[in-house]
């Protein structure tokens, strides 16, 4: 299945996938264990990091970068081994997202969104749908994007007048991260009251090929950060989907399966992606401190003047790495990132353990056994991790200039992209609401009501 590439690329040019062709053979053998998968992610970051600032400035549609992810095998890190995947737990996948984000925040974000959308059938689908889509995505090494942004109006789903076994999606989405460079897109819409008067506007998720002629992209993503995520808008016009592919729905009765969609497990899509965010935020912040430290060692100059007047008895530092305030700042930020990493890893392990214990397939489906309390506790842990990483990350990516000096603001250094990347995505949903959510858990023992952002 070829990824979508329409004539709008002539207006907004793409990066050339051939520049990473050597890695197709170099990485043709998948890693065999978790250590190998994390190393593979580090290897991808090592390829991306040297020219990350230049590629961001060029702002080309990231077809080459998606090709690199495909060559690495990271797109199928979660996929079952029987279909050619890595069959790794989410805890390893989250670490891989973080490592790739160290090399390039945009590409770490694309990997994270892909893994979330590729996994969607495992949360929302029937056992047969899980098998179908997991096998296809993994065996064909497909990249998955989404057109699901809940702040926009829902896509409208109507009955197909020509075929009762189909439904039709129409509408537009303002943000569609990765969809323009994908092979498959997850669409989400609500049933039209005119076609389905008793549906109450119920929602349906479905995978569709990106090459569907009814899907067009504007290539209008032009934010200050995460510029290579191709997160612009899309128009969905008369895209036909079979009822068989409506995730978690009974195609014969055209009703949602309550044992799949009516249980707490079905809402785990939201904390799962919130933790995707948190991991690539953390990778960006860690990379900022690493690049700043390398710059300080090589290029930052000590301050030659003292301010103590005649009473000053301490001589100016001979080199920047002797400056008290520089050492203190790096020490503080390293400690905070070290603590943030421990908290995020704890959240990674908790949700990974939940997915390992509860799953839907042809031999078992115990997803309905997950309780609202289990879901709520994990959601609060993830919210707490996101709060900490957002606060620490924004502080670190801003403060690095204090310890590198004015020359580090040069465009060629690229130190500014870390703050721009973090600031762009940390506005995705207000962190103040996460603080409030955790506060209600602490003071009142309330677990959050599942929403599109909780």
């Amino acid at each position: 299945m070829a990824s979508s590439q329409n004539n709008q690329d002539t207006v907004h040019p793409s990066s050339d996938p051939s520049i990473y062709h050597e890695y197709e053979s170099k990485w043709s053998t998948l890693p065999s264990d978790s250590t190998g998968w994390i190393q593979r992610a580090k290897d991808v970051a090592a390829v991306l990091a040297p020219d990350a600032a230049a590629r961001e400035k060029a702002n080309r549609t990231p077809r080459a970068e998606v090709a690199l992810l495909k060559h690495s095998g990271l797109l199928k890190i979660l996929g079952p081994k029987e279909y050619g995947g890595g069959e790794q737990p989410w805890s390893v996948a989250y670490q891989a997202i973080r490592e790739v984000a160290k090399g390039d925040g945009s590409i770490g974000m694309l990997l994270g969104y892909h893994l979330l959308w590729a996994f969607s059938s495992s949360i929302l689908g029937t056992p047969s749908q899980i098998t179908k889509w997991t096998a296809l995505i993994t065996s064909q090494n497909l990249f998955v994007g989404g057109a699901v942004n809940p702040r926009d109006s829902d896509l409208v789903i109507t009955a197909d007048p020509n075929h009762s076994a189909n439904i039709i999606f129409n509408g537009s989405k303002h943000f569609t991260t990765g969809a323009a460079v994908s092979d498959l897109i997850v669409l989400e819409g609500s049933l039209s009251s005119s076609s389905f008067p008793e549906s109450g506007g119920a929602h349906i998720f479905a995978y569709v090929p990106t090459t569907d002629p009814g899907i067009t992209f504007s290539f209008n993503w032009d934010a200050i950060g995460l510029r290579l995520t191709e997160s612009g808008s899309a128009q969905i016009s008369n895209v036909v989907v079979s009822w068989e592919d409506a995730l978690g729905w009974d195609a014969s009765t055209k009703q949602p399966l309550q044992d799949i969609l009516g249980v707490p497990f079905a809402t785990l899509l939201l904390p799962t992606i919130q933790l995707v965010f948190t991991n690539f935020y953390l990778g960006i912040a860690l990379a900022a401190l690493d690049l700043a430290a390398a710059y300080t060692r090589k290029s930052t100059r000590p301050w030659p003047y003292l301010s103590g007047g005649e009473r000053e008895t301490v001589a100016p530092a001979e080199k920047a790495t002797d400056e008290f305030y520089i050492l203190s700042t790096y020490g503080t930020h390293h400690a905070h990132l070290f603590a943030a990493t421990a908290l995020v890893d704890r959240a990674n392990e908790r949700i990974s353990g939940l997915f390992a214990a509860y799953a839907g397939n042809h031999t078992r489906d115990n997803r309905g056994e997950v309780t609202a309390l289990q879901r709520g506790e994990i959601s609060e842990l993830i919210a707490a991790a996101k709060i900490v990483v957002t606060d620490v990350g924004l502080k670190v990516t801003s403060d690095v200039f204090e310890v590198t000096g004015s020359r580090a603001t040069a465009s060629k250094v690229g130190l500014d992209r870390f703050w721009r990347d973090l600031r762009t995505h940390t506005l995705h949903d207000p962190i103040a609401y996460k603080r409030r959510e955790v506060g209600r858990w602490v003071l009142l023992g309330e677990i959050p009501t599942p929403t599109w952002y909780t």
Side-chain angles (χ1 to χ4, degrees), residues 183-229:
D183 302 300
L184 291 174
I185 301 177
V186 175
L187 298 183
E188 177 276 326
S190 60
L191 294 172
S192 165
S193 59
S194 59
S195 291
F196 306 98
E198 298 181 3
S199 68
H203 292 263
I204 291 178
F205 286 77
Y207 294 98
V208 299
T210 309
T211 51
D212 188 295
I215 302 173
T216 56
F217 300 101
S218 299
F219 293 91
N220 56 353
W221 176 246
D222 190 23
I224 63 169
L226 296 169
R227 292 172 60 76
L228 299 188
T229 59

Side-chain angles (χ1 to χ4, degrees), residues 85 118 132 147 160 165 190 212 215 230 238 252 266 268 305 343 379 438:
K132 173 183 176 177
D160 185 340
S190 60
D212 188 295
I215 302 173
E230 203 59 78
N238 296 319
S252 59
L268 285 174
Y305 306 107
L343 178 57
S379 182
V438 175

Side-chain angles (χ1 to χ4, degrees), residues 360-412:
N361 53 50
H362 287 299
T363 59
R364 66 164 182 160
D365 190 350
N366 62 346
R367 291 175 292 175
E369 297 175 14
V370 172
T371 66
L373 180 59
Q374 285 176 294
R375 192 266 187 204
E377 289 176 338
I378 284 179
S379 182
E380 290 315 296
L381 178 57
I382 292 170
K386 189 182 181 189
I387 291 167
V388 170
V389 172
T390 297
D391 289 349
V392 173
L394 289 173
K395 179 68 171 170
V396 168
T397 55
S398 174
D399 280 4
V400 288
F401 294 100
E402 298 288 346
V403 291
T404 51
S406 60
R407 292 187 299 176
T409 63
S411 177
K412 65 181 180 181

Side-chain angles (χ1 to χ4, degrees), residues 17 29-30 88 124 145 211 248 261 324:
T29 301
L30 295 183
Q88 294 299 301
L124 303 171
T211 51
L261 298 180
F324 176 85

